[in-house]
Amino acid sequence: MKTAITELIGIKYPVIQGGMAWVAEYHLAAAVSEAGGLGIIGAASAPPEVVREQVRKARELTDKPIGVNVMLLNPNAEEVARIVVEEGVQVVTTGAGSPAKFMDMWKKAGVKVIPVVASVAMAKMMERAGADAVVAEGMESGGHIGSATTMTLVPQVVDAVDIPVVAAGGIADGRGFAASFMLGAQGVQMGTRFVVAKESIVHENYKQKVIKARDIDSEVTGMSTGHPVRQIRNKMTREYLKLEKEGAPFEQLEYLTLGSLRKAVMDGDVVNGTVMAGQCAGLVTKEQTCKEIIEEVVRDGCALLKLPETDIAG
Ligand code: TUI
């Protein structure tokens, strides 16, 4: 299957794995890349040298292209941005802000830059700044989100820019894959479905929380703090939303979330921790290998799109 995204990155299938904080570490990223998609190491708030080590470990597991997601709220983002270049990482995606100030450095080094955007304005700005493609991410996604839905955002971004667009937010199976192409996207990014991959190191409790989640089991916390985050409803979200409704100070809300994602992902505390996942968690029903996930999504998607499956069979 050839699309502008497979050609740009040099991968077999137009499937990118989301750069999820704590979740997107080297085992998952390498497995996705080895299966023909683009695996991403989520730098999130990790110390820069840990990111370097993660890239090197992924390289021991696959010789295929690997990406790093630079989370722009990270005070160390600049150092991570440099490490991406030093380690010869082929692709960078970004989240939670504008990567404009790093763009020249990345472009000069030949890194393919694919910012994640949540609006048409940001997509246009990124195109002007030299982005190779954009991920248009709807509010169905897990984690930090914008306000437009995937269904409305993707075609508007496609109309607004000349670079390829990758759809994200709510995509977890062949139907979402096919729909994304109908909206004009040239690829998809999936996060939630990869959370439960066999190669994903997240705690079993977290995986079960995603697998058991139904359509309306996520909540958005932090609307009032300017950091809206979609996560699965639990004791943590109930307390947070109650405090937020009462107008609790920003510091108190931030304190509640301090280290809470780590608590859920690593310790399996899905009661007091933050279980970030998208609205498509209701579509995610079982643990599979990254290869099984990608091949199933692409095979089912291609059947719906009436595209030949030759690449998949081979
Ligand atoms: O970045 C994400 N998802 C994330 S980042 C993250 S770490 C975090 N945890 C708690 C609070 C805040 C962050 C968890 N999930 N997705 C990509 C994405 N980027 N969604 C929305 C945006 C975005 C938002 C604002 C992109 C650009 C932007 O620009 C703001 C501006 O105008 O500079």
Side-chain angles (χ1 to χ4, degrees):
M1 190 183 181
K2 276 191 182 168
T3 77
I5 290 296
T6 60
E7 299 307 286
L8 172 71
I9 308 174
I11 51 176
K12 191 170 177 191
Y13 302 124
V15 177
I16 300 178
Q17 166 237 317
M20 303 163 284
W22 288 102
V23 176
E25 52 66 79
Y26 76 94
H27 294 97
L28 183 66
V32 169
S33 286
E34 197 51 27
L38 179 70
I40 302 267
I41 289 164
S45 304
E49 286 309 316
V50 171
V51 179
R52 191 194 301 280
E53 194 185 323
Q54 289 271 318
V55 171
R56 290 183 179 177
K57 283 183 171 159
R59 288 263 162 74
E60 285 171 15
L61 298 177
T62 183
D63 56 4
K64 302 206 165 64
I66 280 275
V68 167
N69 177 274
V70 179
M71 207 278 281
L72 296 156
L73 288 172
N74 179 2
N76 294 324
E78 185 158 356
E79 216 177 320
V80 176
R82 264 202 311 275
I83 284 172
V84 164
V85 172
E86 286 166 14
E87 294 299 314
V89 167
Q90 290 92 340
V91 184
V92 58
T93 64
T94 62
S98 166
K101 64 178 173 181
F102 306 132
M103 206 70 104
D104 276 353
M105 174 176 64
W106 286 333
K107 298 302 300 174
K108 280 200 188 98
V111 181
K112 302 285 186 250
V113 186
I114 312 183
V116 179
V117 300
S119 69
V120 166
M122 184 57 79
K124 284 165 104 168
M125 207 185 296
M126 292 301 103
E127 180 180 43
R128 272 200 304 275
D132 295 284
V134 287
V135 176
E137 187 186 89
M139 53 81 85
E140 296 93 323
S141 300
H144 183 61
I145 52 171
S147 57
T149 60
T150 303
M151 178 82 97
T152 56
L153 180 67
V154 172
Q156 292 185 81
V157 170
V158 166
D159 286 347
V161 298
D162 291 323
I163 50 179
V165 176
V166 174
I171 303 157
D173 62 17
R175 292 167 297 183
F177 180 92
S180 300
F181 282 81
M182 292 282 113
L183 295 174
Q186 299 281 322
V188 299
Q189 177 182 279
M190 297 194 297
T192 304
R193 178 105 189 236
F194 285 122
V195 167
V196 306
K198 284 221 165 80
E199 297 90 343
S200 152
I201 53 78
V202 317
H203 196 284
E204 186 58 25
N205 294 355
Y206 198 118
K207 289 188 181 179
Q208 287 307 317
K209 195 87 180 157
V210 172
I211 285 171
K212 289 196 184 118
R214 295 158 305 176
D215 53 352
I216 53 169
D217 282 346
S218 75
E219 296 270 21
V220 180
T221 58
M223 283 287 198
S224 64
T225 67
H227 292 157
V229 170
R230 183 178 301 285
Q231 51 191 292
I232 296 180
R233 186 184 300 106
N234 61 3
K235 181 159 167 261
M236 155 72 159
T237 61
R238 286 193 190 93
E239 279 176 16
Y240 190 108
L241 291 169
K242 181 167 171 282
L243 283 170
E244 206 175 358
K245 208 166 152 190
E246 289 166 6
F250 180 77
E251 293 74 21
Q252 191 182 354
L253 293 170
E254 290 290 289
Y255 184 74
L256 196 62
T257 60
L258 217 58
S260 61
L261 179 61
R262 187 197 175 282
K263 220 189 295 184
V265 173
M266 306 301 285
D267 307 342
D269 184 351
V270 296
V271 176
N272 302 296
T274 296
V275 186
M276 292 188 192
Q279 288 184 328
C280 63
L283 289 168
V284 175
T285 56
K286 57 180 182 294
E287 193 173 340
Q288 290 168 297
T289 65
C290 290
K291 188 170 184 317
E292 287 165 347
I293 292 172
I294 292 174
E295 290 183 355
E296 185 184 297
V297 168
V298 176
R299 187 197 321 112
D300 293 354
C302 284
L304 289 167
L305 292 164
K306 304 205 183 335
L307 286 171
E309 285 178 28
T310 43
D311 271 7
I312 301 150

